[in-house]
Amino acid sequence: MSLLKAQIPTRRFTVSGYVHETGSQEALIGVNVYLPGTTTGTTTNTYGFYSLTIPAQDSLQLAYSFVGYDIVSRTISLRTNQTLNISLTPGRALTEVDVKAGRLTNKVSESAQMSSIDIPVSQIKKIPAFLGEKDVLKVLQLMPGVQKGSEGQTGIYVRGGGPEQNLIILDDAVVYNANHLFGFFSVFNGDAIKSVELIKGGFPARYGGRLSSVIDLNMKEGNREKLHGEGGIGLIASRLLLEGPLTKNKKAGPRSASFLISGRRTYLDILAAPLIRAQSGGTLTAGYYFYDLNAKANYDFGPKNKLYLSTYFGRDRFYANDTDESTDTGLSWGNATATLRWNHLFNQKLFSNLSLIFSDYKFQISSVEKSTQGTDTYSLFYNSGIRDFSLKYDVDYYPTPQHSVRMGLQSTYHRFTPSAVVLQNAGINQSVNNVDNIDVLESGIYAEDTWRPSNRLRLNAGFRLSYFQQQKAQYIRPEPRLSAALTIRPDLSIKASYALMNQYVHLLSNTGIGLPTDLWVPTTDIVKPQQSQQVAIGVAKDFVDKGVTLTVEGYYKAMNNIINYKEGASFLLINDPTSANSVRWEDNVTAGRGWSYGAEMLLQKKVGRFSGWLGYTLSWTQWQFAELNGGKPYYPRYDRRHDISLVGIYELNKRITLSATWVYGTGNALTVPIGRFGTYRASNTLVYGGDPALNQLLFQNVRTSDDYGTQKNSFRAEPYHRFDVGIQFHKQKKHHERTWEVSVYNLYNRRNPFFYRLESVSATSTEAARTALFRYSVFPIVPAISYNIKF
């Protein structure tokens, strides 16, 4: 009888629901949902949904935990499937006592994913920033494995990859150029961002199309309970965000809706215009500004269907009008994205999302010269860009606590415009309209499973099949992925990962610093897809009583079919109207390979009155092209041997927050002149004597050239380091909270190198004339003050 009873299978039921933030009903991503004292649990997905199927029990305790929020526990009787929606309350200034009580619940040692970093947006807003402008990408630069670009730039170089090898997505939409002000600021307004995640390796199969990293950003959904706003006034820009419910009910119900709109604009043009006009005598009008706009709306059609519409639009514009010279010049670039998403819950175990996505990046140059009669005598318009229409469908399936399955597909129709030139010259009656659109299709299908075969082993195994079609080319590439974590102790695990990635879009750049003049081009029958293979191994340790996590990783990445310009080539020459019809951009690039390897360490504390991190990177990166540097390997510009970042935030009390960062990096690898020589051609006049005027006649034609040597990037710039500090003064009023922030960028006035140039030094009474290499810096010590308000 007892044997028959033992063979009766245990009935299982599912508890599922959504986790939101108290006070706003904002969906929370990555919340841990678990049975205390066991290894059984799951996490919420991008939309705050969770599902857990477990054996029936009369009394079951569930815990919900998330960094920066109070832990919530619920005791339920699980004798049938249940829906349980939870709200978490943001924690205040967390103390060490809170941490020891078990607040550190997002353990890195428990996750199969490695090479992944998420930073709370609330923490990003406390870190001192250049000119007071909080910047998501600049904070990511402070992480190990991420190399910084030039001084002040937001360029992201991850594990030996270039800026074009980063997949930057905002609410599922790809952002192709994430820079404002030629790279000194990013396009992401921190007020509108809910979450930020950086993945450097061990990529889940749901991501594809880039070699080096994924930067996944999600916008806030909008407060569902009350009207809320926040904004700020800084030295160069101001911003404002409004969010609130669209339905009459004050609290989120079965049918609720909300909106969010956020805008930011710089006023550099307004401040500089009077000065420019005064210095030019009133003949020159010039300026520069950027702006961006985020908007989002969502509507719940009941417990099973939700609709989201999110958009982003941003633009940079430089203009100059010279009435004296009768010229009008302009330069602009910008992104536009839109995402329409439909969530559908088939049942408590099956969740789906359908996305329709639009992304458009444009770069434009214009130059117009007018005659004295006011008609155009010469005009040049250059346009370049890339436009995407995408369909994406994803399914999340939670069959058991041991399996979490994701499947999906995505197809993107790209239209590249690498050259669009309109030239008109009334003097010679010439008009050229060269529009060279390239249409391609890029698709992918994937499946991945986060599997826990035992209490000690966790796996994320996935497979992606990518497909690319261009007029003369077609590629089908398999992309296997695997990440694993083996638990040695409850707070210590060993991790390993492998990922194969393919990239079908390329960025041609002569500068390597991500300027808007860089050119996006597709894979063709001549230019093959880029491909990388990366392996990594490491350890993850949680110091639960201290609220601290430690990760140490080593990696090796090999890259094939990376492209670069041939010596002396440029798309500006390729697109010259006189030769655009006969010269293809494919003929001006060369393909090669690269490899990168190194070690990274991150010691991070996300909670408590004192928080921050220490990051260190030791790395080597080399490239090799048959037609560059004599076919020998060389270090690319952003290769750095050592990189250190130290970030600290201290909540002195409820009214004062202190913060500081210190960064150090080995100098960039550059190609600079090692000498200068001149060629002199004598005149036909015979000169006798030492008359200076006659000698000037004798050497009337002088040509100088710089000698760059034979090795590419053989010069190392001086090390880069700086120290930033900030202090915030908070004051809570009856209906609003205001914050004054004072920060200092580069406190000890380090003159970091921006570029080098050979220049002639005149003779003095003690030294002969000579040629010397000069270092130029951009930013000395830069103080800033800003005012922020929440209501």
Side-chain angles (χ1 to χ4, degrees), residues 1-8:
M1 185 68 178
S2 59
L3 180 61
L4 292 175
K5 186 175 181 180
Q7 291 177 344
I8 297 175

Side-chain angles (χ1 to χ4, degrees), residues 122-185:
S122 59
Q123 198 174 52
I124 292 174
K125 292 185 176 182
K126 297 174 184 176
I127 297 173
F130 176 60
L131 290 175
E133 290 297 309
K134 304 302 182 183
D135 199 308
V136 171
L137 295 190
K138 285 191 176 180
V139 173
L140 292 181
Q141 288 179 341
L142 301 174
M143 290 298 173
V146 182
Q147 307 296 339
K148 291 167 282 294
S150 302
E151 170 73 277
Q153 299 272 317
T154 57
I156 299 291
Y157 304 88
V158 180
R159 290 185 172 178
E164 80 282 3
Q165 294 178 355
N166 304 311
L167 179 63
I168 303 177
I169 47 180
L170 177 66
D171 277 2
D172 281 344
V174 176
V175 178
Y176 283 96
N177 189 309
N179 297 326
H180 280 317
L181 192 58
F182 300 97
F184 290 110
F185 300 104

Side-chain angles (χ1 to χ4, degrees), residues 524-671:
T524 67
D525 57 324
I526 299 175
V527 179
K528 307 300 181 184
Q530 301 179 58
Q531 187 176 85
S532 73
Q533 296 188 71
Q534 182 179 166
V535 294
I537 188 169
V539 296
K541 165 73 174 174
D542 292 295
F543 299 90
V544 179
D545 58 336
K546 301 293 185 181
V548 175
T549 62
L550 172 67
T551 57
V552 180
E553 297 182 9
Y555 71 92
Y556 180 86
K557 179 167 67 175
M559 298 170 283
N560 293 316
N561 297 323
I562 58 176
I563 67 172
N564 207 337
Y565 279 121
K566 295 179 179 178
E567 295 288 0
S570 166
F571 82 92
L572 291 176
L573 297 177
I574 297 171
N575 292 329
D576 179 63
T578 61
S579 61
N581 294 328
S582 59
V583 179
R584 299 181 304 171
W585 64 265
E586 296 102 317
D587 299 328
N588 285 268
V589 300
T590 179
R593 65 189 186 102
W595 55 94
S596 179
Y597 54 93
E600 302 164 4
M601 184 272 291
L602 177 63
L603 184 68
Q604 188 175 21
K605 189 173 187 291
K606 295 182 181 180
V607 298
R609 291 180 61 183
F610 177 78
S611 62
W613 64 85
L614 168 64
Y616 171 71
T617 305
L618 172 67
S619 64
W620 289 262
T621 300
Q622 287 187 294
W623 283 359
Q624 186 175 24
F625 296 86
E627 300 183 56
L628 298 178
N629 199 44
K632 299 178 182 178
Y634 66 92
Y635 295 109
R637 175 190 182 95
Y638 42 84
D639 170 75
R640 276 182 167 165
R641 198 66 61 245
H642 304 280
D643 193 274
I644 303 173
S645 297
L646 182 60
V647 178
I649 302 169
Y650 184 62
E651 306 281 351
L652 188 62
N653 52 49
K654 291 183 178 181
R655 299 188 59 182
I656 300 177
T657 302
L658 307 175
S659 60
T661 64
W662 183 77
V663 296
Y664 173 89
T666 306
N668 287 333
L670 305 173
T671 300

Side-chain angles (χ1 to χ4, degrees), residues 127-419:
I127 297 173
F130 176 60
L131 290 175
E133 290 297 309
K134 304 302 182 183
D135 199 308
V136 171
L137 295 190
K138 285 191 176 180
V139 173
L140 292 181
Q141 288 179 341
L142 301 174
M143 290 298 173
V146 182
Q147 307 296 339
K148 291 167 282 294
S150 302
E151 170 73 277
Q153 299 272 317
T154 57
I156 299 291
Y157 304 88
V158 180
R159 290 185 172 178
E164 80 282 3
Q165 294 178 355
N166 304 311
L167 179 63
I168 303 177
I169 47 180
L170 177 66
D171 277 2
D172 281 344
V174 176
V175 178
Y176 283 96
N177 189 309
N179 297 326
H180 280 317
L181 192 58
F182 300 97
F184 290 110
F185 300 104
S186 78
V187 301
F188 303 114
N189 184 350
D191 291 343
I193 300 300
K194 177 169 65 175
S195 66
V196 182
E197 183 181 17
L198 168 68
I199 303 175
K200 302 175 293 181
F203 302 98
R206 59 186 178 273
Y207 297 113
R210 298 294 187 274
L211 300 190
S212 293
S213 80
V214 177
I215 302 174
D216 194 351
L217 302 103
N218 288 280
M219 288 173 54
K220 295 178 180 177
E221 297 171 6
N223 196 308
R224 295 171 182 259
E225 294 190 358
K226 60 183 178 180
L227 183 65
H228 169 77
E230 59 182 292
I233 301 174
L235 290 181
I236 66 167
S238 292
R239 66 190 193 280
L240 178 65
L241 175 143
L242 291 174
E243 57 178 333
L246 288 173
T247 50
K248 292 183 179 181
N249 54 311
K250 294 184 179 180
K251 292 187 177 181
R255 293 182 182 271
S256 62
S258 63
F259 78 94
L260 177 145
I261 183 167
S262 174
R264 178 177 58 164
R265 191 193 192 278
T266 184
Y267 26 74
L268 287 173
D269 54 329
I270 300 174
L271 298 176
L275 181 62
I276 294 174
R277 283 197 298 268
Q279 290 185 340
S280 64
T283 63
L284 178 62
T285 301
Y288 164 83
Y289 64 86
F290 70 77
Y291 64 89
D292 44 50
L293 177 69
N294 295 81
K296 191 168 184 176
N298 61 87
Y299 185 79
D300 289 0
F301 291 89
K304 292 186 176 295
N305 294 283
K306 302 177 187 293
L307 194 66
Y308 302 85
L309 175 62
S310 56
T311 63
Y312 166 80
F313 184 79
R315 187 155 299 277
D316 290 65
R317 184 170 183 263
F318 169 80
Y319 59 91
N321 181 270
D322 193 333
T323 56
D324 192 28
E325 299 290 336
S326 299
T327 59
D328 192 354
T329 304
L331 171 68
S332 68
W333 69 94
N335 300 274
T337 72
T339 307
L340 179 64
R341 294 185 286 185
W342 170 41
N343 290 176
H344 179 65
L345 190 61
F346 288 98
N347 54 53
Q348 289 189 301
K349 296 183 179 182
L350 190 60
F351 178 95
S352 71
N353 178 72
L354 175 66
S355 298
L356 302 177
I357 309 163
F358 170 78
S359 178
D360 188 31
Y361 169 68
K362 289 182 180 178
F363 168 67
Q364 298 173 319
I365 299 176
S366 64
S367 179
V368 178
E369 182 178 337
K370 297 182 179 294
S371 67
T372 55
Q373 290 78 25
T375 59
D376 294 355
T377 59
Y378 171 84
S379 62
L380 170 66
F381 298 94
Y382 173 83
N383 300 283
S384 176
I386 176 172
R387 185 187 66 193
D388 293 349
F389 291 97
S390 301
L391 173 67
K392 185 171 181 282
Y393 187 67
D394 302 284
V395 173
D396 294 357
Y397 178 51
Y398 306 90
T400 68
Q402 288 73 39
H403 290 275
S404 177
V405 180
R406 293 190 178 188
M407 299 173 289
L409 57 89
Q410 180 172 1
S411 186
T412 301
Y413 173 76
H414 300 284
R415 167 161 285 186
F416 294 83
T417 310
S419 67

Side-chain angles (χ1 to χ4, degrees), residues 486-521:
L486 178 64
T487 300
I488 306 301
R489 296 203 311 249
D491 58 359
L492 177 66
S493 64
I494 298 175
K495 298 187 178 186
S497 67
Y498 168 81
L500 188 151
M501 308 288 283
N502 289 286
Q503 180 168 333
Y504 298 99
V505 298
H506 314 274
L507 186 68
L508 296 177
S509 172
N510 277 328
T511 64
I513 59 176
L515 293 180
T517 53
D518 295 341
L519 184 68
W520 285 101
V521 292

